[in-house]
Amino acid sequence: MTLSPLTDASNELTGNKPWIMLGWLLFAQILVAFVGRSLSPLGVFIGDSLALTNAQIGMLPAALFFGQFAAAIPAGIYVDRIGTRPLLLALSLCLGISLFLASMTTNFTMLLLLIVIGGFGYGAMHPTSNRGIIYWFGHKSRGTAMGIKQMGVTAGSGLAALLLVPLAGWYGWRPVVMLAALLLIGAGLLSFWRYRDTKEATLIRGTPQEKGETFKRLKAMGRNRPLLLMSGGAMGINGAQMCLNTYMIIYAIQIIGLPIYQAGLLLVVSEIAGSLGRVGWGTVSDRLFHGNRLIILSIIAVVSAVCSVIMAGFSPGASFLSMAVLAFFFGSCVSGFNGLWMNAATELVPAKEAGLASGFSISVGSWGVIIGPPLFGLVTDVTGAFTAGWYSLAGLLGLIGCLFIYLHISTRKDETYARP
């Protein structure tokens, strides 16, 4: 008996194949983050090389995420049309080539421009891989799968801090970034060769009629109030995450007085905790909260606010151990929330619009990273201290925790949350 395409599509979701495909998405995500997120831990070296202020150092990750903002919605549209596999290759080439060229420039403006272009590739990774997760996994396992995939972001960032920071200390940041970019290009080629979309995802690609309605679909996203509120909350936590990643090393060196290798290890600890958090928070939301992401997101925001207050209270000479414990809890929250955010955003719309919803939410959420680090750096330049920055983050995160509670109550009342 010949099976129908839909039956074939259903059968391919059994067994190990979804997890194998998840492995390739995770592999690509790690290398994309390894290159893109290296700008934060390497900021101290780039700053010394180009004589940058703290505010200018903050513009490096901001430039990457401005590119993400610009690319997220177009990438979401195109992944809904052509699928995950071809975009995996395109985004890897875009980010890899741009950062390769950035490693050779000495002009700060040109460096920012190349980072923005690289951000196009970095920003395309989330809607591209999210669509793969949506079609390879069911609702009750999607939180865990998304957490594992999103763990690649913190794993890549942690590897950048663990490997690239000491290498940059020995050889300089330019050859280190150049080598990392070449590794990413190779990873993109390998992922394109091995990854496959589901049959259902292939069947539901955008038709010519649907392509003409892109603006209408985008307007519908803008009118989706829960999606807007979710994205606004994510914007604040994203900003806090990148402020922590960008300035924790500088703070530990300049204010606390730790040696550079210990300061780099703090970011490694934070990113390891974020990796564990992305899987752990997703699993908790799946198994204990029946797929409700918003309660967990509100807890994450409140704990992050407490961590930011404690960070502000550190004084010169604080021990590495005490800072490492705080970095672990802080990182597990602000770097561990992304999988829940991606799930919540895609579950507020029909499955066929998952890519566009991801792109829309990431586009909004990116503004936290675009604005946050330069503003945080400006505050430190003006005040000569980090205290005001950490307290400001704490206040913002507390408000976001309240926002997620409100969104949970309103969506439960409307019974629109947790699309099966």
Side-chain angles (χ1 to χ4, degrees), residues 15-48:
N16 293 329
K17 193 169 184 181
W19 299 100
I20 293 172
M21 295 301 107
L22 174 62
W24 287 111
L25 292 175
L26 175 62
F27 173 68
Q29 183 72 80
I30 289 173
L31 268 296
V32 165
F34 182 68
V35 173
R37 299 286 283 271
S38 68
L39 295 169
S40 292
L42 294 179
V44 63
F45 299 102
I46 299 173
D48 287 344

Side-chain angles (χ1 to χ4, degrees), residues 238-259:
N238 264 332
Q241 175 188 355
M242 200 49 57
C243 286
L244 181 68
N245 288 0
T246 302
Y247 292 105
M248 183 162 56
I249 290 178
I250 300 172
Y251 174 67
I253 294 171
Q254 294 182 355
I255 305 301
I256 307 302
L258 294 180

Side-chain angles (χ1 to χ4, degrees), residues 42-363:
L42 294 179
V44 63
F45 299 102
I46 299 173
D48 287 344
S49 173
L50 302 181
L52 304 180
T53 66
N54 281 339
Q56 288 175 316
I57 292 173
M59 292 173 69
L60 300 174
L64 182 81
F65 285 91
F66 182 80
Q68 173 175 281
F69 157 75
I73 290 176
I77 293 169
Y78 276 100
V79 74
D80 283 338
R81 292 182 186 176
I82 66 176
T84 294
R85 183 170 177 256
L87 279 187
L88 279 177
L89 176 61
L91 67 89
S92 299
L93 292 176
C94 178
L95 178 57
I97 293 172
S98 297
L99 269 291
F100 183 89
L101 295 175
S103 69
M104 295 187 287
T105 186
T106 58
N107 182 276
F108 180 62
T109 302
M110 180 58 68
L111 176 64
L112 290 180
L113 178 60
L114 288 168
I115 292 173
V116 168
I117 295 172
F120 297 161
Y122 184 87
M125 184 62 195
H126 289 301
T128 297
S129 55
N130 290 352
R131 189 177 192 269
I133 297 291
I134 289 295
Y135 282 100
W136 276 113
F137 292 89
H139 179 69
K140 292 187 177 180
S141 59
R142 195 177 295 149
T144 301
M146 189 72 79
I148 292 173
K149 192 273 297 182
Q150 286 296 109
M151 182 179 68
V153 178
T154 47
S157 180
L159 283 172
L162 182 64
L163 301 177
L164 300 187
V165 168
L167 287 174
W170 295 328
Y171 303 108
W173 68 273
R174 297 181 189 279
V176 165
V177 171
M178 190 178 295
L179 177 60
L182 291 174
L183 287 175
L184 172 59
I185 292 171
L189 291 168
L190 185 58
S191 298
F192 176 76
W193 178 44
R194 300 296 297 173
Y195 179 82
R196 292 294 182 273
D197 286 306
T198 66
K199 292 183 175 66
E200 182 185 3
T202 303
L203 291 170
I204 305 180
R205 288 173 183 171
T207 64
Q209 291 77 16
E210 289 171 334
K211 292 175 186 178
E213 297 180 356
T214 296
F215 183 70
K216 184 186 297 185
R217 294 165 60 209
L218 195 53
K219 278 185 69 176
M221 296 287 173
R223 291 194 299 265
N224 188 325
R225 188 164 170 269
L227 182 61
L228 279 174
L229 291 175
M230 158 63 57
S231 303
M235 178 172 65
I237 303 181
N238 264 332
Q241 175 188 355
M242 200 49 57
C243 286
L244 181 68
N245 288 0
T246 302
Y247 292 105
M248 183 162 56
I249 290 178
I250 300 172
Y251 174 67
I253 294 171
Q254 294 182 355
I255 305 301
I256 307 302
L258 294 180
I260 192 167
Y261 74 92
Q262 287 188 342
L265 282 177
L266 290 177
L267 183 55
V268 175
V269 169
S270 173
E271 294 295 63
I272 289 173
S275 298
L276 297 174
R278 292 184 183 209
V279 178
W281 293 123
T283 302
V284 168
S285 74
D286 282 344
R287 298 186 179 180
L288 300 183
F289 288 85
H290 309 290
N292 192 315
R293 323 298 177 190
L294 293 169
I295 292 293
I296 306 298
L297 285 168
S298 65
I299 294 171
I300 286 172
V302 171
V303 174
S304 300
V306 173
C307 289
S308 193
V309 170
I310 297 173
M311 183 74 81
F314 277 121
S315 57
S319 70
F320 169 78
L321 180 60
S322 62
M323 290 201 68
V325 171
L326 181 62
F328 183 89
F329 285 103
F330 209 164
S332 70
C333 293
V334 295
S335 295
F337 90 105
N338 298 65
L340 293 175
W341 167 31
M342 294 295 98
N343 269 315
T346 56
E347 289 170 353
L348 288 169
V349 298
K352 67 179 181 180
E353 306 229 327
L356 182 57
S358 293
F360 178 86
S361 190
I362 290 167
S363 183

